[in-house]
Amino acid sequence: MEEEVDHRGDELPPLTKRSSNVNLERILKLHKPDFSDAHLTTTGFWPVIRTMMRYGHDHVMSKTWYHYHSEDPNDGPGVLAVAWHTAGLIDPLLIVLKINKPYVFAGRQDILTGPLIGWWGRRMGVQPLLRQAERLRGFVDDETATRVNSSSMLTVASKLAHGQASILLPEGHSHSEWYIHRLRTGPVRSALNAASLAREIGNDVPVILPVGLTFRDPHAWFSDASVEFGEPIQLPELPDKNHGAKLLAGEWVEPDKETTIAVRNEMRDRLGSLTPDAPDIDTWRAWLLLGHIAAKSDGKRLTTWQQEVLHGRAIRDRMRGSSNKVWQGPEGCGEEDLASTSKITEKARKTAKTLHDMKLDARAYHPDSAKLNWKNIVLALVLMPLIAVALPFTILGNGIQATVGFMIAKFNSEAVDKRTTFHMMVMMLGTVLIRPIIHISTALLLLKAGYFPEYSAYIMAPILVVALWLITDVSTFLCRCFLRISCGIRRNIRTHSSSRSKGWDSLRAEFEELSEMLGVLK
């Protein structure tokens, strides 16, 4: 009988169809550990991957803001980026696009063995990890899992010690909560070993970089994201002075428990403070609303998602009297969370829910949001003829990928937090598998139809393919801009209409009451 809880009694994450297909023979055959300073990605392959990721990002996300609490992570030693995990493969994507270093990846075993994604994973040198979710359910024995995981983590440690980057998501699985799940120690153990290796060979000591990922809606297509690079965690020396030498000899040696737990707890607190850390979405929306109210009282209007996130968390931390602890979920500090239970939060939660039921959010609080934005309306009208020309090219180059991604996301039985991954992956793969075929076919049809002078097809066909690709990119960019403007207009009209409804007077009274309560809180 399959076990459904881990050694702490926490429920194991559900396995997808792909992750439950554990083919040990194939894993052992394809696993290529490497403890040298060489790059694992196939030569010339990484620029292609990053370009594909950019296409995937631009298709899925409306806009992404990046914020640095410290120095640019591209400067300096090796970086192990850690983040909470609420949007499937979108989470590491947002980090990879900003940290431009050679990468070593470790992840679920099916990223290496899968029929399609596995081909790409192998060329990226992905190191497989066999999680408790597979082990405790009997898909793999402990001895094999330990051997594979040790080799994978030593590979990660070796690359980090040589100045490369990696991303490990310490919760171990994607989820739909608004607080962090229990963190695993694997990333910390690998980072500590990387630090020991770096000291042994005389390289700069790598760091753990907490990354805050906050989505307006982590499960929605064309959503906003705020990405924050926190203060890096400096890794201490281990008590065993021979630890690095053993690792350098190719032997995976676990760092001592005391140091591991200490660094893990620091990572937990640093990382947790960069997440909503709310008991539920209604509470998070309440803090966002209070952030808008506080900003207006200071004479400001929050116009970007990043500003909303930072102000909402500032309100939360002010009520808690702390910005360096986790308060919710299994990693909570155990103290009463006044930010969740206070009267002002209870009041704001009710008001924010009313706004949500009206298909609005905290942005509707500011009086200017109810005024019709004629500038955007006129801009949309001016762009319409241009969009009429651009749309056919956008559909021609990206229509098949977008439709397939939409259908898979809508009808797939996977958890809701995987939906955006399907949109992204189909667009990424379609960029190299579908789009070239479409452009080549279109170019050949145009030549055959005689629309161009009778030059050699060997000359004209490549020129036409490149031209079609560039036209499609420009057209897609214009359509994305138009869609973003249209979404803003729709929200603006909805706010304008709601502000003239009978129920808005009571909402306005609630806004004023919350503003007064917030003034007392200051």
Side-chain angles (χ1 to χ4, degrees):
M1 182 177 178
E2 295 182 349
E3 294 190 52
E4 296 299 331
V5 295
D6 63 15
H7 63 288
R8 292 190 180 92
D10 294 337
E11 184 177 352
L12 292 172
L15 294 179
T16 64
K17 291 180 181 178
R18 284 193 295 114
S19 63
S20 61
N21 183 22
V22 181
N23 187 334
L24 279 180
E25 183 179 350
R26 185 167 172 77
I27 292 172
L28 296 174
K29 177 182 177 182
L30 297 175
H31 187 201
K32 306 294 183 184
D34 183 338
F35 311 143
S36 71
D37 61 352
H39 300 177
L40 289 178
T41 307
T42 301
T43 303
F45 196 70
W46 186 239
V48 176
I49 286 290
R50 282 183 64 87
T51 301
M52 292 169 60
M53 288 180 174
R54 175 57 62 185
Y55 277 104
H57 168 274
D58 290 348
H59 175 66
V60 173
M61 304 304 302
S62 173
K63 192 166 184 179
T64 301
W65 285 266
Y66 287 90
H67 179 73
Y68 298 91
H69 291 274
S70 184
E71 299 175 356
D72 188 331
N74 286 294
D75 301 328
V79 172
L80 174 60
V82 295
W84 76 328
H85 200 12
T86 61
L89 292 181
I90 299 294
D91 296 331
L93 171 85
L94 297 178
I95 301 172
V96 168
L97 288 176
K98 204 62 176 180
I99 302 180
N100 191 15
K101 286 177 175 282
Y103 272 90
V104 52
F105 293 101
R108 220 169 59 184
Q109 47 81 26
D110 54 296
I111 299 179
L112 182 73
T113 61
L116 185 57
I117 194 175
W119 188 90
W120 297 92
R122 292 190 291 277
R123 275 137 193 88
M124 292 168 64
V126 171
Q127 300 296 303
L129 296 176
L130 294 163
R131 307 168 301 167
Q132 287 192 59
E134 289 91 6
R135 292 160 65 180
L136 295 181
R137 288 186 169 110
F139 289 104
V140 58
D141 62 275
D142 287 343
E143 182 182 352
T144 302
T146 299
R147 186 170 76 252
V148 170
N149 290 349
S150 295
S151 296
S152 293
M153 297 308 288
L154 185 54
T155 297
V156 172
S158 299
K159 304 307 179 184
L160 288 173
H162 286 96
Q164 299 186 31
S166 185
I167 300 170
L168 291 175
L169 306 173
E171 291 169 301
H173 62 94
S174 187
H175 62 86
S176 302
E177 305 293 350
W178 292 88
Y179 50 78
I180 58 174
H181 284 196
R182 196 178 299 281
L183 303 186
R184 313 302 178 186
T185 60
V188 172
R189 297 184 345 251
S190 189
L192 286 171
N193 277 353
S196 290
L197 273 171
R199 290 187 175 100
E200 184 69 22
I201 60 181
N203 286 353
D204 291 337
V205 177
V207 297
I208 295 178
L209 182 67
V211 182
L213 303 174
T214 311
F215 298 86
R216 192 178 293 279
D217 184 344
H219 309 143
W221 177 77
F222 213 64
S223 183
D224 295 323
S226 172
V227 182
E228 301 171 67
F229 294 111
E231 292 282 345
I233 299 173
Q234 306 299 325
L235 295 165
E237 291 191 45
L238 298 175
D240 181 5
K241 301 304 179 184
N242 296 319
H243 196 93
K246 296 173 184 176
L247 294 168
L248 192 59
E251 177 187 359
W252 175 265
V253 185
E254 293 288 351
D256 66 288
K257 183 176 180 180
E258 183 178 348
T259 306
T260 299
I261 296 301
V263 176
R264 176 207 169 277
N265 290 344
E266 183 178 2
M267 179 181 73
R268 172 201 63 201
D269 294 337
R270 297 271 197 97
L271 184 58
S273 64
L274 295 175
T275 69
D277 194 26
D280 49 51
I281 179 60
D282 291 330
T283 303
W284 174 234
R285 288 177 181 146
W287 293 336
L288 292 174
L289 175 59
L290 291 174
H292 276 270
I293 295 173
K296 183 175 181 296
S297 68
D298 294 334
K300 303 175 184 176
R301 181 185 180 187
L302 307 184
T303 57
T304 70
W305 173 236
Q306 184 179 88
Q307 291 173 345
E308 292 185 69
V309 170
L310 294 177
H311 279 74
R313 283 215 312 264
I315 289 292
R316 176 200 71 186
D317 294 341
R318 188 192 309 169
M319 288 190 283
R320 286 175 174 173
S322 170
S323 60
N324 59 1
K325 290 182 182 179
V326 177
W327 296 75
Q328 297 295 331
E331 296 286 4
C333 61
E335 301 176 24
E336 181 185 1
D337 183 10
L338 297 178
S340 301
T341 59
S342 65
K343 290 183 179 180
I344 188 171
T345 298
E346 291 289 344
K347 179 71 175 174
R349 189 184 289 118
K350 175 178 175 294
T351 306
K353 190 175 187 310
T354 301
L355 284 172
H356 181 69
D357 291 342
M358 299 169 71
K359 297 184 178 180
L360 298 172
D361 55 38
R363 289 172 288 184
Y365 162 74
H366 200 282
D368 288 348
S369 65
K371 300 176 182 177
L372 288 178
N373 190 334
W374 290 106
K375 179 181 177 181
N376 275 356
I377 294 173
V378 171
L379 179 59
L381 291 173
V382 170
L383 284 176
M384 276 186 177
L386 192 58
I387 297 303
V389 176
L391 189 59
F393 289 100
T394 302
I395 294 174
L396 176 68
N398 302 314
I400 294 176
Q401 302 94 291
T403 301
V404 172
F406 171 80
M407 297 300 289
I408 295 176
K410 184 174 179 63
F411 297 108
N412 199 283
S413 60
E414 303 283 1
V416 66
D417 52 273
K418 308 294 192 303
R419 287 180 181 173
T420 49
T421 297
F422 294 124
H423 287 287
M424 178 198 74
M425 288 303 302
V426 173
M427 184 57 64
M428 281 181 58
L429 296 175
T431 299
V432 294
L433 298 178
I434 299 175
R435 192 168 166 184
I437 296 174
I438 293 172
H439 287 327
I440 291 171
S441 300
T442 304
L444 293 177
L445 287 173
L446 290 173
L447 288 173
K448 187 175 181 180
Y451 286 105
F452 296 91
E454 294 185 2
Y455 295 112
S456 169
Y458 293 107
I459 298 174
M460 285 303 301
I463 293 174
L464 284 175
V465 169
V466 171
L468 285 169
W469 196 288
L470 293 175
I471 291 171
T472 299
D473 278 356
V474 172
S475 298
T476 303
F477 172 77
L478 291 172
C479 289
R480 288 183 67 249
C481 291
F482 185 77
L483 177 59
R484 192 181 298 118
I485 293 170
S486 300
C487 290
I489 291 173
R490 184 177 63 177
R491 187 180 68 254
N492 177 227
I493 292 175
R494 187 180 293 131
T495 307
H496 175 78
S497 175
S498 298
S499 68
R500 281 153 177 75
S501 65
K502 294 181 181 179
W504 196 260
D505 288 338
S506 61
L507 261 179
R508 188 178 289 111
E510 291 179 25
F511 291 153
E512 292 175 358
E513 185 179 349
L514 285 171
S515 182
E516 292 174 2
M517 295 173 72
L518 200 56
V520 173
L521 182 64
K522 290 183 178 180

